[in-house]
Amino acid sequence: MEKTFQPADIETRWYQQWEASGYFAPQGGERAYSIMIPPPNVTGSLHMGHGFQEAIMDALIRYHRMCGYNTLWQVGTDHAGIATQMVVERQLAAQGISRHDLGREKFVQKVWEWKEESGGTITRQLRRLGSSLDWSRERFTMDPGLSEAVQEVFIRLYREGLIYRGKRLVNWDPVLHTAISDLEVVAEEEQGQLWHFNYPLAGGEGHVTVATTRPETMLGDTAVAVHPADERYSHLIGRMVALPLTGREIPVIADDYVDREFGTGVVKITPAHDFNDYEMGRRHGLPMINIFNDDAAINDEAPEAYRGLDRFEARKRVIAEMDSLGLLAKVDAHTLRVPRGDRSGVVIEPYLTDQWYVDAREMARPAIAAVESGAIQFVPKQWENTYFAWMRDIQDWCISRQLWWGHRIPAWYDESGHFYVGASEAEVRADNALADDTVLRQDEDVLDTWFSSALWTFSTLGWPQETPELATFHPTSVLVTGFDIIFFWVARMIMMTLHFRQEVPFHTVYVHGLVRDAEGQKMSKSKGNVIDPIDLIDGIDLESLVSKRTAGMMQPQLAARIDKATRSQFPEGIAPYGTDALRFTYFSLASTGRDIKFDIGRIEGYRNFCNKIWNAARYVLMNCEQQDCGGDGGVELGLADRWITSKLQQTTAEVTRAVASYRFDLASQALYEFVWNEYCDWYLELSKPVLWDEKASAAAKRGTRQTLLHVLETTLRLLHPFMPFITEEIWQTVGPMAGKTGPTIMLQPYPQPSHKGVDSVANADIEWLKGVIVGIRNIRGEMNIPPGRELPVLLRNGNEQDRSRLEENAQFLKKLAKLGDISWLPPGEEGPVAATALVGELEILVPMAGLIDKDAELLRLRREIEKLEKELARIRGKLGNASFVDKAPEAVVAREREKMQALQQALETLQEQERQLRQL
RNA sequence: AGGACUAUAGCUCAGUUGGUUAGAGCGCAUCCUUGACAUGGAUGAGGUCCCCAGUUCGAAUCUGGGUAGUCCUACCA
């Protein structure tokens, strides 16, 4: 074995072997356990958030696989309509080609080519993370099978009246030329202006003043509105206003929606370009004048002077024109929330178009009930509130997108605009008895990518066919996801699955936090603070990191800043830490919070932890290979052996409990603590005096070796779901030595906690031993006595148990605390001048002669005494309180009394010691 | 505007049903290349548990109010 752990050597080797051996596929068994991967964008790459999520899923999957479940982790990717189409369009644009130059068919062909070319990135990354996905069942949302499912769902929902087509206001992206759903719009506060325009009253006596943040929309105004109870304007209701610039006259209407306090209390109404105005327009039967084209440039409905102008250019012109007419009353600075497309970043326009919708309200009802009844549970539970809040106020879902990349809507139009929904043109003709010469044209639009993702849990298993996989693995066990897509994905999956399968898609939704950078900033390409998980595994030099982060930046000044920040944050680049360390870091951060700040410092600690495991194994092998480890003859198990076995049981119970409650941070902490602070720090040290003692019995040595191996082997299995690679590598050697057979640790049984395993006698004895050793080390450490120097020790005032414990453990004490002679001070005999440590009543005296400075020891005693005095005072106060003694439970009071007695005694001893020292 | 979450050591975070001397890792200080590991060992310093009030014999923990931060939802032109 190498002296230090070298992850790079072993990781890919083991992964290939596991995959080639088919270990990732379901292994059969009574109980099924399944997880569907949230499908990443096929043309994207994994970021830290993915890495986190995959690690959690893999831990769950490996854990349950080892527990004997028939385990499926379904892998697959998503076609990511808008994102992917944008990427390919950008590539074409670089060659001066637009998708329209190519035409639909060729463009889609290009996208498929790009998918083939880039699709490997994700799957490569998933493998590097150690994810034990069943690659033989890999799916893609645009696969024939999944496409069939999409079509089936669309047609059935349409026939059930749950999908409809309608002319509505949608969120229109004027750059991408598509509608997007409410969820794909992000509204951030931006600094803008509020323009006040005077609209003259028809008839020429005065005006009303309206305020707007989007002056250009006045060209489409069809009314102005006031509050019905607003006395200032009640006389105007029903009168007409001369809309400037257009020559149109529009009515003054009254509507409750108007806020009398805001602006002038008069609102211009543009039903075709504002969601609220749209509703009001419908209430009042107002005409809807659409003034934009698909680019959000002014169309022919507007006065000639504005036609063809971009919306922002038109805005300037409108303002200038109003100003010159003397109708611009004032301009205020105004903060408003500007809606932007989450992909394109451009300002979204409410735009009147024909789109397809899902009647979400209808489908939400059972979906709400499923969570209310507990059929689906969120972890942590509070996310259920978020889910309910959204579901109870759900809006119809606009599912059509004006894109070329995606599932084309199975609807055909004849020349008079009638449409027919069906699986194919032929079927539509047959079903509707259309003549052969009727010209039909398929809907140009595709479906929202989330529409196909919503079917993911069952479409991947072969639906609409009733496959054995569906029967076995659906509903799935748990969905692991971030809270940011509860609405996008989780809610829609629940709705679709309940509707088409009459069962839930998953029993549990585990919602994890979002990975942020060390400052708590969201990781994003434009901020340049993204870390590629692979770079943490393999390491990356500074120059490569800088160029990776600044590549393809549109704004050079941004690149310069990122360059600088990266250099200061990672002056040495990033060291290679390996997958196991990265994964363990993820687990340690996976608590219940919403944000996960990824501090690079932590991964280093867990790299060290890997090394610790590695070296512990090295030690075990050095001492056990070619040795009798309990195979021949009997074994004798000493105190240390019984103790570490007991601790192992406790750890097993803790880890099992933690995994059951999705507390991977607690699981990883329990494992870390056990391996490092118990097994390595104490047990390995305690094994040395046995193994290296020529006088120790062969049976004791066998017992120690057996325990070393048994505990290590069990620990490896406990650790395996969290650190798959290092555990497999070591287990290959250690497993057989511990009597295990089998080709891989992956398929070994997971350790189960047993009640009889906890040995409280051994625990207490070792605690005593540790107390003595730490007491002496403390003196050594504080007095700067070199660790190599043997110390003589005198004991005083111990009880019978102290005496027997000493007798049994003298050799351990001598070795671990580096002691020379240990002897009891006869009663009544005055000992030498000494430094003191206390373990219960037992006094441990380290003679100071030539070793210890008197003042230093006095100082040390003083500190200790003060600490005890403070604590004693606190407890005395407590016990002096009559109502405490009366009302607190018996056991609590008794414990406090015991504590007080122990403290008093310790204090007296130390004070006596101090007196003696002073007298010198 | 409504709601959620967060606030504990210099930093990142644990702290189960109220009773702990409030913990861990990293960092820091001192010492140490003893034969698993310097990616190591030993020891130590470091806390007004955000603030105020309440419930209680007892509050980091429960309740109410406040402050700060993060986020989500919402129709303010």
Side-chain angles (χ1 to χ4, degrees), chain A residues 159 420-436 440:
Chain A
R159 293 192 176 145
Y420 310 93
V421 170
S424 65
E425 185 176 333
E427 192 185 298
V428 160
R429 278 185 195 280
D431 288 355
N432 297 282
L434 299 176
D436 287 350
L440 287 181

Side-chain angles (χ1 to χ4, degrees), chain A residues 135-191:
Chain A
W135 293 102
S136 70
R137 301 192 44 83
E138 186 173 358
R139 295 287 184 275
F140 175 50
T141 45
M142 294 274 281
D143 282 347
L146 277 72
S147 300
E148 191 197 332
V150 167
Q151 197 173 59
E152 172 85 11
V153 163
F154 185 95
I155 294 168
R156 276 173 58 179
L157 287 178
Y158 174 75
R159 293 192 176 145
E160 292 163 15
L162 290 169
I163 279 183
Y164 63 91
R165 184 174 163 80
K167 199 180 206 64
R168 295 286 170 81
L169 268 195
V170 294
N171 299 294
W172 184 260
D173 188 316
V175 166
L176 298 174
H177 287 163
T178 181
I180 55 179
S181 79
D182 300 345
L183 291 173
E184 291 161 286
V185 179
V186 281
E188 300 263 316
E189 288 212 329
E190 290 180 26
Q191 207 44 241

Side-chain angles (χ1 to χ4, degrees), chain A residues 660-676:
Chain A
S661 54
Y662 299 91
R663 288 300 303 270
F664 300 97
D665 58 329
L666 299 182
S668 64
Q669 204 189 332
L671 287 162
Y672 185 98
E673 162 85 16
F674 174 74
V675 170
W676 201 309

Side-chain angles (χ1 to χ4, degrees), chain A residues 117 144 254 394 410 416 434 450 484 507 541 589 657 682 756 851 860 873:
Chain A
E117 193 182 316
I394 196 167
S416 59
L434 299 176
W450 294 107
D484 51 334
H507 299 297
D541 64 86
L589 296 170
R657 199 179 330 122
W682 289 101
K756 58 183 177 201
L851 271 176
R860 198 181 69 91

Side-chain angles (χ1 to χ4, degrees), chain A residues 104-120:
Chain A
R104 183 166 190 145
E105 213 167 297
K106 279 196 173 156
F107 177 77
V108 170
Q109 186 53 43
K110 279 267 175 234
V111 182
W112 277 106
E113 282 166 23
W114 166 242
K115 183 240 170 194
E116 291 312 319
E117 193 182 316
S118 68

Side-chain angles (χ1 to χ4, degrees), chain A residues 675-907:
Chain A
V675 170
W676 201 309
N677 303 112
E678 307 292 2
Y679 188 66
C680 290
D681 281 354
W682 289 101
Y683 183 68
L684 294 194
E685 295 307 320
L686 288 166
S687 76
K688 290 174 185 175
V690 178
L691 296 177
W692 298 353
D693 179 4
E694 287 166 11
K695 281 175 281 178
S697 75
K701 288 187 180 187
R702 279 199 293 269
T704 298
R705 290 198 193 100
Q706 189 186 60
T707 307
L708 278 171
L709 280 168
H710 165 252
V711 174
L712 176 60
E713 194 275 337
T714 310
T715 305
L716 290 173
R717 283 184 286 127
L718 273 180
L719 276 165
H720 180 260
F722 309 98
M723 301 183 139
F725 294 114
I726 189 174
T727 49
E728 177 75 291
E729 176 74 12
I730 298 171
W731 189 86
Q732 289 294 323
T733 316
V734 169
M737 290 174 70
K740 303 288 172 179
T741 52
T744 175
I745 191 174
M746 269 188 67
L747 303 178
Q748 291 293 312
Y750 201 74
Q752 298 298 321
S754 90
H755 299 294
K756 58 183 177 201
V758 176
D759 184 337
S760 47
V761 175
N763 279 356
D765 284 353
I766 290 287
E767 283 316 307
W768 177 88
L769 186 65
K770 283 183 178 181
V772 176
I773 292 168
V774 168
I776 293 163
R777 281 180 183 170
N778 177 310
I779 292 170
R780 203 189 275 278
E782 291 205 47
M783 298 303 147
N784 279 338
I785 301 170
R789 174 144 186 186
E790 277 196 358
L791 297 176
V793 158
L794 290 167
L795 300 173
R796 181 161 66 192
N797 203 25
N799 57 27
E800 272 314 302
Q801 198 176 29
D802 290 324
R803 284 180 184 271
S804 65
R805 278 171 167 167
L806 178 80
E807 218 160 295
E808 283 158 26
N809 296 296
Q811 53 159 346
F812 294 111
L813 278 177
K814 284 183 179 170
K815 172 76 181 152
L816 269 62
K818 266 278 183 246
L819 300 182
D821 276 349
I822 307 174
S823 48
W824 287 93
L825 204 59
E829 185 173 320
E830 183 134 333
V833 190
T836 314
L838 287 177
V839 176
E841 294 168 26
L842 177 67
E843 286 177 62
I844 302 157
L845 306 176
V846 178
M848 288 166 57
L851 271 176
I852 299 173
D853 177 57
K854 173 184 157 193
D855 292 334
E857 175 62 7
L858 273 173
L859 204 69
R860 198 181 69 91
L861 277 174
R862 195 67 244 158
R863 260 210 322 264
E864 193 60 25
I865 287 168
E866 275 163 16
K867 210 161 88 182
L868 293 184
E869 277 171 344
K870 222 171 100 187
E871 180 61 12
L872 187 60
R874 201 180 65 87
I875 292 182
R876 277 202 177 119
K878 222 172 178 178
L879 286 168
N881 183 345
S883 51
F884 170 73
V885 181
D886 281 357
K887 295 186 182 170
E890 200 77 26
V892 173
V893 178
R895 201 161 60 228
E896 293 296 316
R897 288 226 168 86
E898 273 171 39
K899 256 195 265 178
M900 186 171 77
Q901 273 186 355
L903 276 170
Q904 263 170 341
Q905 184 154 27
L907 197 55

Side-chain angles (χ1 to χ4, degrees), chain A residues 21-51:
Chain A
S21 309
Y23 298 154
F24 299 156
Q27 305 279 325
E30 285 296 302
R31 303 166 299 174
Y33 186 87
S34 59
I35 297 179
M36 301 291 160
I37 195 172
N41 172 356
V42 68
T43 59
S45 60
L46 296 187
H47 52 67
M48 289 291 281
H50 287 114

